[in-house]
Amino acid sequence: PTTRGQPLRLQPREFGSEGFDAPVNPPQPAILAVGAGVERAVLGADRWLDVATVRGLTPSVDPRVIHGALGAALLDAIRRIP
């Protein structure tokens, strides 16, 4: 039997995707897809260039349940986490 897909068995480099879309499966109103971490140059708090691991986040929401603006507000709140 294969064990590669079981939790904690895959290494981040094995995902092979920086980002993707995840479908909403009713009755859940939303899902947040998290892409693989990629090292990128970023502007640090001291205004100097630094290297950070960056992940893409893609929300999928059921518009009958959650307004798109609320999903955008969630991403903005996540972005502000230090």
Side-chain angles (χ1 to χ4, degrees), residues 3-77:
T3 59
R4 298 296 299 158
Q6 293 181 1
L8 305 177
R9 301 277 182 175
L10 293 173
Q11 299 300 313
R13 67 181 172 279
E14 294 179 276
F15 292 120
S17 176
E18 290 183 29
F20 62 96
D21 295 328
V24 176
N25 297 311
Q28 283 90 16
I31 189 168
L32 182 64
V34 180
V38 178
E39 288 190 345
R40 297 248 167 94
V42 296
L43 189 61
D46 57 1
R47 310 292 292 170
W48 287 84
L49 283 180
D50 201 357
V51 176
T53 301
V54 178
R55 295 181 186 276
L57 302 176
T58 306
S60 296
V61 298
D62 183 342
R64 298 170 295 178
V65 180
I66 297 176
H67 191 278
L70 184 58
L74 171 65
L75 280 182
D76 188 51

